[in-house]
Amino acid sequence: MKQTKYFIIDFDSTFTQVEALDILAEIALKDNENQAKAIKDIKDITDQGMEGGMSFRESLKKRVEILEANKKHLPELVDRLHSQVSPSFKRNTEFIEKYKEQIFIVSNGFKDFIVPIVKKYGIKEDHVFANEFEYDQDENIVGFDESNILSGNNGKPKQIKNLKLDGEVFVLGDGYTDYEIKKEGLAHKFYAFTENVRREKILNEADHEAPSLDEFLFTQKLERAHSYPKNRIKALLLENIHEGAINRLKKEGYQVEVHPAGMTEEELSEAIKEVSVLGIRSKTIVTDKVLKNAKRLLSIGAFCIGTNQIDLNSALKKGVAVFNAPFSNTRSVVELALAEIIMLMRNLPDKMIQMHQGKWNKSASGSFEVRGKTLGIVGYGKIGSQLSILAESVGMNVQYFDLEEKLALGNATPCPTLEHLLKNSDVISIHVDGREENDLMISSKEFDLMKDGVVFINLSRGHIVDINSLKTNIENGKIHGASIDVFPEEPLSNNHSFESPLTGLRNTILTPHVGGSTLEAQENIADFVPSKMIEYINTGSTTNSVNFPNITLPLLSQAHRFIHIHRNEPGVLADINNVLAKHGINIGGQYLKTNDTIGYVITDIDKNYHEDVIKDLKMVRGTIRFRVLY
């Protein structure tokens, strides 16, 4: 006969992210000149008690003495603790509701603030065992009920023994007093909870580390038996991706590894084997070989606009959704382009170099206003169209060429051909994507078509322009000035050297692929790209994916969600539904979208299904990837 499972959960630094008495000290001592020292003393005493370095009753007495707290401070404490509930507990309220008869909060903290917090999550008040404050006539906290079992040493094992739980007991906590329950033989297993604090001494005594409640539920085969715990999701971020992205993924509960540079194909092929989330910028090339080594990869985030560094088709066939940041750094690139146009028209790069060499060359020769000049924009997408607006605002005439028909903004004029634009522009700025068809689209033939004295800007992709032809036309005077931010070959990191035929040329601006490298742009990207990857992993939504069929899904509510990615073949949807019908499963909602390569089916069902359903769905012909969301 299967035994009932009981779950003993600690409160401080487990159910909540903090030690409540530390927060109470901050509140009660906020006007005390010795606040900092008092708070530090309380934290030190707490750590000693949690790690077994001081008897619990001694540590409790010392902390209460230092507090100088009053009952009036408790409402603020409760408010602050509500906002500090551990993220993985917030994610798993369904578990708490389902097993509330078997969950006990056993804490050396105080009922006065614990009960208001845990009751909100459905935990029964009579399942909360903790200390209680004692107050004087002015409601100052002067001590605690020393007759309470939990106020003394070895209190938790004694309390569990009194509960007389008939079944398997599992303890989840972060301190030595939690381990004591297992030590006394009153628990089947002790899980060291490390989402908020990691105590090595406690980990050494634990049966299992639980970096989150998800991990605990996963090992117990409870509510999230089929979904992967967030702490097991490994994210690898390369090329100095903004710390905002790192923090965003860590907050979600992922393991995050950071590498400051790009990686070669061989390096990434090895590093990606256990990675679920990959974040790159422009220097790392994700090839078919790399993707074949990606056993767990769910999503790739390109923390930039372009995605030509990723083999999108191979990613699609592997069932890996790719996201980028199509808008986040547009303004930054546009501002740089406009600034460089003005600098080059004024011949400022040469003058700045001469000034640093001690040469005073005050002259208007070769220096022009941009007002009245014609700017030709090749590629009228997000960046090109915004550059059009800003350039027009400083008095330039704007014309553009794009393979697709695009709505002209302001007074911009579309050109019928690229040749027309090249022949009739004083300034040419390239803003096309990195598709293969654009390889060397500007070469000797195109430079020959340009006006003498043209200003040339490339902030798009390095392989778009024939660098040697560009060099020749700068040297022979055909090009008045050039600015290049992207190169056919770029260093993997700041520690590698840069070489180019363009170095040392007159009136030439060379920048290290920094078109989108402003703090504002990187912060926007660091927020946008992780949010899309997390949304995909959590809900299945593929909005803004550059390779998957785009589906925006409703939030999952009171249901399971089956995510099925398969080769786009006739009859697969019917096969999926036949499996569900065979097992008597009611479909609450179903969403399907396809492209030439894959079909993407999302099915929401009620909560009752047998394990064999998953096995059968994984066996549907053409299946690439299957996963369950709860």
Side-chain angles (χ1 to χ4, degrees):
M1 183 177 176
K2 193 173 182 179
Q3 285 190 304
T4 301
K5 290 185 176 183
Y6 294 98
F7 308 104
I8 310 302
I9 300 175
D10 185 31
F11 182 77
D12 292 292
S13 294
T14 299
F15 197 95
T16 60
Q17 301 173 66
V18 293
E19 294 287 328
L21 291 187
D22 293 353
I23 305 301
L24 182 56
E26 292 177 14
I27 296 168
L29 299 168
K30 63 184 175 183
D31 296 323
N32 190 315
E33 61 181 10
N34 296 317
Q35 182 199 45
K37 182 181 184 304
I39 292 173
K40 183 180 183 304
D41 289 345
I42 288 175
K43 288 182 177 179
D44 289 345
I45 294 167
T46 298
D47 286 339
Q48 289 181 58
M50 289 298 100
E51 294 178 359
M54 178 186 297
S55 72
F56 176 73
R57 177 160 287 182
E58 182 183 1
S59 75
L60 191 59
K61 280 184 176 180
K62 286 186 175 182
R63 283 180 284 168
V64 171
E65 286 172 5
I66 297 171
L67 274 176
E68 298 182 16
N70 186 280
K71 196 171 187 177
K72 68 182 180 183
H73 296 130
L74 296 183
E76 183 179 347
L77 172 62
V78 169
D79 285 343
R80 288 183 60 175
L81 291 177
H82 272 307
S83 67
Q84 292 289 326
V85 172
S86 296
S88 65
F89 277 82
K90 290 180 180 179
R91 287 196 296 269
N92 290 288
T93 54
E94 183 182 321
F95 157 72
I96 297 172
E97 176 60 30
K98 183 173 181 178
Y99 293 94
K100 60 186 176 185
E101 297 295 334
Q102 295 149 249
I103 294 175
F104 297 85
I105 300 295
V106 180
S107 171
N108 295 122
F110 293 83
K111 276 190 175 183
D112 310 59
F113 52 75
I114 294 175
V115 170
I117 304 299
V118 300
K119 275 181 70 176
K120 185 177 178 181
Y121 287 82
I123 293 174
K124 300 169 68 174
E125 184 171 350
D126 61 358
H127 279 213
V128 177
F129 296 90
N131 287 295
E132 295 180 69
F133 285 127
E134 289 184 343
Y135 305 90
D136 65 14
Q137 60 185 7
D138 296 319
E139 297 191 326
N140 294 309
I141 296 173
V142 293
F144 50 87
D145 178 8
E146 296 193 19
S147 67
N148 189 318
I149 291 174
L150 289 163
S151 72
N153 300 331
N154 219 31
K156 286 189 178 182
K158 293 175 183 176
Q159 182 64 68
I160 300 303
K161 194 171 185 179
N162 286 350
L163 289 175
K164 298 179 180 178
L165 301 175
D166 185 17
E168 292 183 325
V169 176
F170 299 90
V171 179
L172 185 67
D174 66 283
Y176 188 80
T177 57
D178 304 302
Y179 161 65
E180 284 181 328
I181 301 171
K182 170 69 187 301
K183 183 181 177 183
E184 294 295 321
L186 297 167
H188 182 68
K189 280 188 178 179
F190 166 56
Y191 287 76
F193 190 74
T194 57
E195 183 170 344
N196 306 309
V197 62
R198 186 180 183 88
R199 306 182 197 278
E200 294 299 332
K201 289 183 180 179
I202 309 307
L203 276 169
N204 291 337
E205 306 291 353
D207 296 292
H208 195 94
E209 179 181 356
S212 66
L213 184 58
D214 307 277
E215 174 73 13
F216 176 75
L217 301 183
F218 186 79
T219 60
Q220 288 293 313
K221 294 183 168 58
L222 295 172
E223 290 308 289
R224 291 180 171 261
H226 307 295
S227 69
Y228 209 59
K230 290 179 183 289
N231 60 273
R232 293 192 178 196
I233 294 178
K234 294 182 180 180
L236 174 61
L237 303 182
L238 309 180
E239 304 182 60
N240 278 325
I241 287 173
H242 191 278
E243 64 180 356
I246 300 169
N247 295 335
R248 180 79 173 81
L249 294 172
K250 283 183 176 179
K251 185 177 180 182
E252 189 65 17
Y254 300 167
Q255 296 181 48
V256 181
E257 180 182 344
V258 177
H259 186 73
M263 285 187 176
T264 64
E265 183 180 56
E266 291 300 323
E267 289 171 335
L268 188 55
S269 294
E270 182 63 31
I272 205 169
K273 289 180 179 178
E274 301 299 320
V275 169
S276 298
V277 176
L278 175 66
I280 63 170
R281 294 176 73 181
S282 58
K283 293 184 176 57
T284 301
I285 310 299
V286 183
T287 63
D288 180 64
K289 177 182 175 180
V290 169
L291 290 163
K292 283 178 178 175
N293 282 278
K295 300 175 183 177
R296 301 182 182 276
L297 193 62
L298 295 173
S299 182
I300 299 173
F303 284 71
C304 50
I305 293 177
T307 55
N308 61 295
Q309 71 276 41
I310 302 167
D311 188 330
L312 296 178
N313 192 46
S314 290
L316 186 62
K317 290 177 180 178
K318 186 82 173 177
V320 176
V322 178
F323 299 89
N324 67 338
F327 308 104
S328 300
N329 65 1
T330 300
R331 179 70 184 200
S332 297
V333 177
V334 168
E335 286 186 2
L336 182 62
L338 185 60
E340 290 178 337
I341 290 168
I342 294 171
M343 291 179 69
L344 293 169
M345 290 291 286
R346 296 291 296 271
N347 199 28
L348 290 180
D350 287 352
K351 288 182 168 61
M352 289 188 290
I353 291 171
Q354 290 169 357
M355 288 292 287
H356 282 285
Q357 295 171 343
K359 298 176 183 177
W360 184 270
N361 183 13
K362 179 174 168 51
S363 169
S365 177
S367 183
F368 307 95
E369 291 185 351
V370 297
R371 180 176 51 177
K373 304 301 185 293
T374 298
L375 169 63
I377 300 173
V378 181
Y380 203 65
K382 300 173 184 71
I383 293 174
S385 58
Q386 190 168 146
L387 175 60
S388 170
I389 295 170
L390 293 191
E392 194 172 297
S393 72
V394 296
M396 298 190 80
N397 303 312
V398 178
Q399 58 181 6
Y400 66 89
F401 172 75
D402 199 291
L403 292 174
E404 298 177 13
E405 186 174 345
K406 297 288 180 69
L407 175 66
L409 302 180
N411 295 313
T413 304
C415 291
T417 63
L418 176 60
E419 179 180 333
H420 182 278
L421 181 140
L422 298 177
K423 286 180 176 181
N424 296 283
S425 298
D426 300 306
V427 179
I428 296 170
S429 192
I430 312 295
H431 299 286
V432 299
D433 62 32
R435 70 185 73 177
E436 281 186 33
E437 295 84 350
N438 289 333
D439 189 37
L440 296 180
M441 71 177 297
I442 305 295
S443 191
S444 57
K445 175 186 172 185
E446 287 71 33
F447 285 121
D448 288 345
L449 293 172
M450 296 178 191
K451 286 183 176 183
D452 289 343
V454 70
V455 165
F456 182 80
I457 310 282
N458 182 21
L459 303 179
S460 59
R461 301 290 186 276
H463 65 88
I464 303 298
V465 178
D466 183 335
I467 290 292
N468 290 317
S469 294
L470 174 59
K471 176 184 179 182
T472 298
N473 283 276
I474 295 172
E475 289 177 332
N476 66 24
K478 173 86 173 187
I479 294 176
H480 174 70
S483 175
I484 306 297
D485 186 51
V486 289
F487 302 87
E489 294 181 5
E490 297 181 359
L492 282 174
S493 74
N494 293 344
N495 295 323
H496 294 77
S497 61
F498 166 71
E499 295 179 3
S500 171
L502 303 179
T503 54
L505 296 180
R506 58 164 187 79
N507 203 25
T508 298
I509 299 172
L510 303 181
T511 49
H513 207 142
V514 293
S517 297
T518 61
L519 288 178
E520 293 88 347
Q522 294 308 304
E523 286 170 1
N524 290 337
I525 293 170
D527 178 65
F528 184 83
V529 176
S531 71
K532 291 302 172 186
M533 292 193 289
I534 290 168
E535 184 180 25
Y536 169 64
I537 291 171
N538 288 351
T539 73
S541 286
T542 53
T543 310
N544 293 111
S545 172
V546 297
N547 66 333
F548 259 53
N550 274 211
I551 299 181
T552 301
L553 296 167
L555 291 174
L556 184 61
S557 177
Q558 301 302 310
H560 294 294
R561 177 166 286 171
F562 291 163
I563 306 287
H564 195 279
I565 305 168
H566 57 270
R567 294 192 300 272
N568 187 9
E569 300 173 356
V572 176
L573 179 61
D575 291 347
I576 291 171
N577 287 339
N578 285 337
V579 170
L580 299 177
K582 182 180 86 171
H583 289 278
I585 291 175
N586 182 51
I587 297 175
Q590 193 167 56
Y591 315 87
L592 165 67
K593 206 161 186 182
T594 64
N595 59 23
D596 291 342
T597 305
I598 69 163
Y600 188 50
V601 178
I602 299 93
T603 307
D604 290 349
I605 68 164
D606 61 29
K607 295 195 174 298
N608 300 313
Y609 70 91
H610 192 272
E611 298 271 345
D612 288 344
V613 176
I614 293 174
K615 294 178 184 176
D616 289 350
L617 287 172
K618 287 181 177 179
M619 293 302 293
V620 169
R621 61 191 173 85
T623 298
I624 296 171
R625 186 187 295 274
F626 175 81
R627 61 192 180 101
V628 182
L629 302 181
Y630 287 76

